[in-house]
Amino acid sequence: MKKYLVLVSLFLSFSVFSHEQDPLYFLEHVLNEIKPFLIQKDDVYLEKTMEKYVDFEEMALWIVGKSVWNNSSMSDKINFIKELKLLMLKTYKNTVYYYIDSDIDFL
């Protein structure tokens, strides 16, 4: 009986949060959230939004690899993350600003 309850509770928890795990839902939600600020070309808001949704430390770890990351100094890690944020912000900002007036259909 306990196994059955655990399985049911797991199923319910996954079904409740399934829309949050769907990449299309996530992208649509984030774009709808930031679009008014992008129209105003508010770089600060775009940066805050990226920091809210992107785990830059985890991304940096995947980019350089575990062994390099573990053998790097804290200042190297901080500098790498800072540069990664700047690069991503610049790249996404230019791309998003270019397409801001376009309609995006999520299929």
Side-chain angles (χ1 to χ4, degrees):
M1 184 67 171
K2 285 185 179 183
K3 287 182 183 180
Y4 179 74
L5 289 175
V6 170
L7 288 175
V8 169
S9 63
L10 282 173
F11 175 77
L12 290 175
S13 66
F14 285 133
S15 65
V16 168
F17 296 110
S18 64
H19 72 279
E20 293 177 2
Q21 296 172 353
D22 180 24
L24 290 177
Y25 175 84
F26 174 76
L27 287 173
E28 187 173 15
H29 171 76
V30 171
L31 284 174
N32 287 335
E33 176 185 339
I34 65 174
K35 190 167 184 173
F37 298 96
L38 294 175
I39 292 171
Q40 300 169 14
K41 298 196 184 242
D42 187 348
D43 293 347
V44 174
Y45 187 81
L46 182 59
E47 184 175 357
K48 286 181 183 178
T49 302
M50 283 183 64
E51 288 178 351
K52 181 172 142 182
Y53 292 109
V54 177
D55 185 350
F56 288 102
E57 187 172 339
E58 182 73 18
M59 187 178 288
L61 172 90
W62 280 91
I63 291 170
V64 300
K66 280 187 179 183
S67 62
V68 173
W69 188 257
N70 290 336
N71 293 323
S72 298
S73 68
M74 186 56 72
S75 65
D76 287 341
K77 291 177 183 179
I78 290 169
N79 288 334
F80 185 79
I81 292 170
K82 178 183 170 188
E83 293 300 321
L84 179 62
K85 282 181 187 180
L86 290 174
L87 176 66
M88 287 186 64
L89 179 62
K90 182 178 178 183
T91 302
Y92 286 125
K93 178 178 72 171
N94 291 338
T95 304
V96 170
Y97 288 163
Y98 182 79
Y99 290 104
I100 194 63
D101 293 329
S102 302
D103 288 334
I104 300 173
D105 294 328
F106 293 91
L107 305 175

